[in-house]
Amino acid sequence: MQFTFHNPTQIQFGRGQIASVARLIPRDAKVLVLYGGGSIKANGVYDQVAEALKAHQWAEFAGIEPNPTVETLDKAVARVKDEGFDFLLAVGGGSVVDGTKYVAAAACYEGYGWDILSGKHKVRQALPLGAILTLPATGSESNAAAVISRTATAEKRSFLAPAVFPVFAVLDPDTMSSLPDRQLANGLVDAFVHICEQYLTVPTGAMVQDGFAEALLRNLVVLAGQFDQRRTLEWRENLMWTANQALNGLIGVGVPHDWATHAIGHEFTALYGLDHAQTLALVHPALLRVCLAQKEAKLTQMGRNVFGLEGDGIANRTIDIIENLFRSVGVGTRLGDYQLDKNDVLLQVLTALEGHGMTRLGHQRDVDLHTVDAIIRKAE
Amino acid sequence: MQFTFHNPTQIQFGRGQIASVARLIPRDAKVLVLYGGGSIKANGVYDQVAEALKAHQWAEFAGIEPNPTVETLDKAVARVKDEGFDFLLAVGGGSVVDGTKYVAAAACYEGYGWDILSGKHKVRQALPLGAILTLPATGSESNAAAVISRTATAEKRSFLAPAVFPVFAVLDPDTMSSLPDRQLANGLVDAFVHICEQYLTVPTGAMVQDGFAEALLRNLVVLAGQFDQRRTLEWRENLMWTANQALNGLIGVGVPHDWATHAIGHEFTALYGLDHAQTLALVHPALLRVCLAQKEAKLTQMGRNVFGLEGDGIANRTIDIIENLFRSVGVGTRLGDYQLDKNDVLLQVLTALEGHGMTRLGHQRDVDLHTVDAIIRKAE
């Protein structure tokens, strides 16, 4: 086992922590605050940010959409370059944070921004950024990854660069108070599948990584079972911290990763506009069923250690429980739940994956188009 | 729940990682390598460090003892000041890393070094340091704490300062190859009690912290049961990463801490020269028995989730299992195991604690000298 782990983001967790950005952003910085729709104006978060920044010079860029697009973000990049902002503050969920990471990197690059996603430009420099998280799900607030879409070509791609680790992340569970149930459920499913992508591969004997992953999965199982308590502070705190730890790099050090579910799911978002978590709930159980042979040992371990299963056929029963968990919080797991036609999906998704060169997915690079075909049929 | 978590240390984990210090230490730095006795010369670690630093200007300071003393360390401080070293590299276990943290802080302070331990000087500045860990136990390689002794007054005190977070920590399990069994067992016990100090208080509903703590405790239970496999790479990797996570700050965020066992144990080391882990094994089970009422809920949770206990009297049975675990790897848990006389201990330890103002210990500040008296009698 060999790895490097370095997560320099300072976490400010708990009620009232938005005020701490006043001292976490250098006083002489020229700050651009980036956010999405108007929800932060309705729930009081915007006012708290304005109060915290009252001694700073700042402006704002609104309108970063879910699955943020390079078309929108490049407008922010132009403003940053034109007006000389030198600190970016993301206020929102994973989409806003991801989008801000792109802006931070593109602002330090003279070429075409999409080069960052296509891999043509390797990001080594970015403006410093901070994050105020309002939707726990992606872990983006303290990792070095971002997923960006391009409307023009219906693409959704990711990049990874230590330069875009947020300097700080504020996790105040009160910011979740106005979230609709759909987004809370999405966050829970998103975090769950993030863990599975780093855990459901093959046994390696990495006890800390497995133990931590199983602890986080158990938390999400409990929180799903307590979904009727989702308006309590304790429920929110636990979802927020669990989702953060699910994808801050820690549970994935030194072990194989998969991410085939994500790669396939991205195409569903790009083609059909499904929420990210919806695509994961749709693809993941089907993928596990199709790839059972490769993942059986780890599924069995998960069944025992997360769900307390005993006896025979644990791997298959574990997949059923996972699918039921997603459905229990209202996230559909079948094509029909999203009014998708199997034949159309087979045509479109397979074509898109082939076009994007995504033909050898998964931890063993054996999820080819033939396998994806079977996964889509299994999700019917 | 409210907390700040920031751990900036870069972890380089795995075989062969010592070579990475060549690029992790600035090429123009003047490096002082600090270590303990000669073991790193016998086991090849010294040669690997010398090879990695061949393009750097460096010198060495040997002789940092277990429970490092300010008397020894101040000689290193004088050399750093006189010769202008600007990067410190600790090569050893927790004592060498702790000692190097003191040197890094004292080198930036013009007053008397012990002021750092007495609390008279608050550390805000320190030389940058890195750590090459050779004995997994204390977690010092990636935290901001250090424990330092003063021979002249038989004191053992700690300080905490973000300025002494190591810039990097190399965790190469092969460096453990020459460790005697006693030190491996000590490391396991040390890590176990570090977790208990942050976990065995009162229930707070912090699911991530509890889940991670329980995962690490289960790891140590498994590793203790596999003590005959302690020469395998996998065993060493798992102990090294578990001990690191046990005290890098993560499992303790936003929850009550105790540390009474440590405070009492430090006096045993200062007075009788016991190994740090030996003092923990001696004090902790006795303290748990005396403080059962305050800790019963968490002991019961631990019994269920770590040891799989069911039925009645789980808290008491959990304490018995903990004590047996320590004994199973050869670390004594009773005064007689260390040829200590109860009456002498009562006199000396209580006097020392009173002299050091350590009369209100524990997570509820209710472990007074009367309680310590009972703990010592319980350890007979």
Side-chain angles (χ1 to χ4, degrees):
Chain A
M1 184 163 65
Q2 215 182 26
F3 61 83
T4 292
F5 178 70
H6 186 215
N7 190 321
T9 303
Q10 176 166 333
I11 304 288
Q12 299 288 115
F13 191 98
R15 275 193 165 154
Q17 291 279 21
I18 291 174
S20 68
V21 307
R23 59 184 169 76
L24 293 172
I25 301 177
R27 191 54 59 93
D28 58 353
K30 186 172 175 184
V31 184
L32 185 64
V33 176
L34 299 97
Y35 59 97
S39 66
I40 66 165
K41 291 206 170 163
N43 65 15
V45 170
Y46 180 91
D47 290 339
Q48 290 182 66
V49 173
E51 173 67 20
L53 292 180
K54 64 185 176 189
H56 285 79
Q57 185 185 357
W58 67 284
E60 60 191 74
F61 180 88
I64 297 181
E65 60 275 80
N67 306 302
T69 65
V70 71
E71 286 88 351
T72 297
L73 298 169
D74 278 340
K75 295 176 194 159
V77 174
R79 275 197 64 188
V80 170
K81 288 182 174 176
D82 289 348
E83 300 173 42
F85 294 101
D86 53 16
F87 197 101
L88 306 183
L89 179 60
V91 184
S95 293
V96 172
V97 181
D98 281 8
T100 301
K101 288 176 178 174
Y102 169 84
V103 175
C108 297
Y109 175 57
E110 288 310 308
Y112 180 48
W114 189 255
D115 293 348
I116 294 168
L117 283 308
S118 71
K120 186 180 159 193
H121 171 60
K122 187 158 170 55
V123 174
R124 300 194 185 281
Q125 199 191 344
L127 291 181
L129 69 140
I132 295 176
L133 188 69
T134 61
L135 169 55
T138 70
S140 183
E141 67 276 11
S142 65
N143 68 34
V147 185
I148 306 294
S149 297
R150 181 161 66 169
T151 310
T153 52
E155 282 178 280
K156 186 171 179 182
R157 305 289 287 267
S158 65
F159 76 99
L160 190 77
V164 299
F165 264 113
V167 178
F168 61 80
V170 173
L171 280 71
D172 175 350
D174 277 348
T175 62
M176 298 160 63
S177 59
S178 61
L179 287 177
D181 289 348
R182 170 173 148 180
Q183 293 199 326
L184 287 176
N186 278 350
L188 199 153
V189 169
D190 199 6
F192 196 96
V193 179
H194 286 159
I195 302 164
C196 293
E197 296 275 33
Q198 302 166 82
Y199 169 82
L200 279 178
T201 58
V202 291
T204 64
M207 294 170 69
V208 174
Q209 294 89 322
D210 277 4
F212 281 8
E214 290 162 3
L216 297 175
L217 290 168
R218 278 191 299 268
N219 289 357
L220 294 170
V221 172
V222 170
L223 294 170
Q226 296 174 340
F227 202 65
D228 59 340
Q229 297 172 38
R230 62 194 175 278
R231 302 291 160 201
T232 65
L233 177 62
E234 189 168 312
W235 193 96
R236 288 177 190 153
E237 287 175 338
N238 282 315
L239 179 62
M240 207 165 210
W241 194 223
T242 297
N244 174 277
Q245 293 293 306
L247 199 52
N248 73 344
L250 180 61
I251 65 169
V253 291
V255 297
H257 289 209
D258 195 297
W259 300 108
T261 296
H262 272 70
I264 302 166
H266 286 345
E267 305 298 355
F268 278 90
T269 297
L271 291 164
Y272 303 108
L274 267 62
D275 294 347
H276 176 56
Q278 292 174 333
T279 72
L280 304 178
L282 179 63
V283 175
H284 199 53
L287 178 141
L288 295 176
R289 290 191 174 100
V290 171
C291 301
L292 181 67
Q294 300 96 305
K295 294 180 182 293
E296 185 162 12
K298 230 35 201 304
L299 278 164
T300 303
Q301 181 181 332
M302 180 174 173
R304 290 200 175 106
N305 295 346
V306 177
F307 299 117
L309 301 183
E310 295 174 8
D312 296 328
I314 290 179
N316 267 313
R317 287 150 60 203
T318 298
I319 301 171
D320 292 343
I321 294 174
I322 292 171
E323 179 170 7
N324 288 333
L325 183 92
F326 298 162
R327 300 191 73 83
S328 77
V329 294
V331 184
T333 57
R334 300 287 169 151
L335 295 174
D337 294 324
Y338 303 102
Q339 292 78 50
L340 294 176
D341 173 72
K342 181 184 69 179
N343 291 323
D344 184 64
V345 168
L346 282 171
L347 178 65
Q348 306 271 5
V349 170
L350 292 176
T351 304
L353 284 171
E354 186 162 28
H356 298 146
M358 299 284 189
T359 56
R360 297 199 160 276
L361 303 172
H363 67 96
Q364 295 174 326
R365 304 287 137 215
D366 59 355
V367 177
D368 55 16
L369 295 181
H370 181 76
T371 310
V372 177
D373 183 292
I375 291 167
I376 292 168
R377 291 174 193 277
K378 193 67 91 175
E380 193 175 8
Chain B
M1 182 162 69
Q2 216 183 25
F3 61 82
T4 292
F5 178 71
H6 185 214
N7 190 320
T9 303
Q10 176 165 333
I11 303 289
Q12 299 287 116
F13 191 98
R15 274 191 166 156
Q17 291 279 22
I18 291 174
S20 68
V21 307
R23 58 184 169 77
L24 293 172
I25 300 177
R27 191 53 59 92
D28 58 353
K30 186 172 175 184
V31 185
L32 185 63
V33 176
L34 299 96
Y35 59 97
S39 66
I40 66 165
K41 292 207 170 162
N43 65 15
V45 170
Y46 180 92
D47 291 339
Q48 290 181 67
V49 173
E51 174 67 20
L53 292 180
K54 65 185 177 190
H56 286 79
Q57 187 185 358
W58 67 283
E60 61 189 75
F61 180 88
I64 298 180
E65 60 274 79
N67 306 302
T69 66
V70 71
E71 285 88 350
T72 297
L73 298 169
D74 278 339
K75 295 177 193 161
V77 174
R79 275 196 64 188
V80 170
K81 288 182 173 175
D82 289 349
E83 300 173 42
F85 294 101
D86 53 16
F87 197 101
L88 307 183
L89 180 61
V91 184
S95 293
V96 172
V97 181
D98 280 9
T100 301
K101 288 175 177 175
Y102 169 84
V103 175
C108 297
Y109 175 57
E110 288 310 307
Y112 179 48
W114 190 255
D115 293 349
I116 294 169
L117 283 309
S118 71
K120 186 180 159 193
H121 171 60
K122 186 155 169 57
V123 174
R124 299 193 186 281
Q125 199 191 344
L127 291 181
L129 68 139
I132 295 176
L133 187 68
T134 61
L135 169 55
T138 69
S140 183
E141 68 276 10
S142 65
N143 68 34
V147 185
I148 306 294
S149 298
R150 180 161 66 169
T151 310
T153 52
E155 281 178 281
K156 185 172 180 181
R157 305 288 286 267
S158 64
F159 76 99
L160 191 76
V164 299
F165 264 112
V167 178
F168 62 80
V170 173
L171 280 70
D172 175 351
D174 278 346
T175 61
M176 299 161 64
S177 60
S178 62
L179 286 177
D181 289 348
R182 170 172 147 179
Q183 294 199 326
L184 287 175
N186 278 349
L188 199 152
V189 169
D190 199 6
F192 195 96
V193 179
H194 286 160
I195 302 163
C196 293
E197 297 275 33
Q198 302 166 84
Y199 170 82
L200 280 177
T201 57
V202 291
T204 63
M207 293 169 68
V208 175
Q209 294 88 324
D210 278 4
F212 281 7
E214 290 162 2
L216 297 175
L217 290 169
R218 279 192 297 270
N219 289 357
L220 294 170
V221 172
V222 170
L223 294 170
Q226 296 175 341
F227 202 66
D228 60 338
Q229 296 170 39
R230 63 194 175 276
R231 302 291 160 202
T232 64
L233 178 63
E234 189 169 312
W235 194 95
R236 288 178 190 152
E237 287 175 338
N238 282 313
L239 178 62
M240 207 163 210
W241 194 222
T242 298
N244 174 277
Q245 293 293 306
L247 198 52
N248 73 344
L250 181 61
I251 64 169
V253 291
V255 296
H257 288 209
D258 195 298
W259 300 108
T261 295
H262 272 69
I264 302 167
H266 286 346
E267 304 298 357
F268 278 90
T269 296
L271 290 165
Y272 302 109
L274 267 62
D275 294 346
H276 175 57
Q278 292 175 332
T279 73
L280 304 178
L282 180 62
V283 175
H284 198 53
L287 179 140
L288 295 175
R289 290 192 174 99
V290 170
C291 301
L292 181 66
Q294 301 97 303
K295 294 179 182 293
E296 186 162 12
K298 229 36 201 303
L299 278 164
T300 303
Q301 181 181 331
M302 180 174 172
R304 290 199 176 108
N305 295 346
V306 177
F307 299 118
L309 301 183
E310 295 174 8
D312 296 330
I314 290 179
N316 266 314
R317 286 151 59 202
T318 297
I319 301 171
D320 292 344
I321 294 174
I322 292 172
E323 180 170 6
N324 288 334
L325 183 90
F326 298 162
R327 300 190 73 84
S328 77
V329 293
V331 183
T333 57
R334 300 287 170 152
L335 295 174
D337 294 325
Y338 303 103
Q339 292 79 49
L340 294 175
D341 174 71
K342 180 184 68 179
N343 291 322
D344 184 65
V345 167
L346 283 171
L347 178 66
Q348 305 270 6
V349 169
L350 292 176
T351 304
L353 284 170
E354 187 163 26
H356 299 147
M358 297 284 188
T359 57
R360 297 199 160 276
L361 303 172
H363 67 98
Q364 295 174 324
R365 305 286 136 214
D366 59 354
V367 177
D368 55 14
L369 295 181
H370 180 77
T371 310
V372 177
D373 183 291
I375 291 167
I376 291 169
R377 290 175 195 278
K378 192 68 90 177
E380 192 176 8

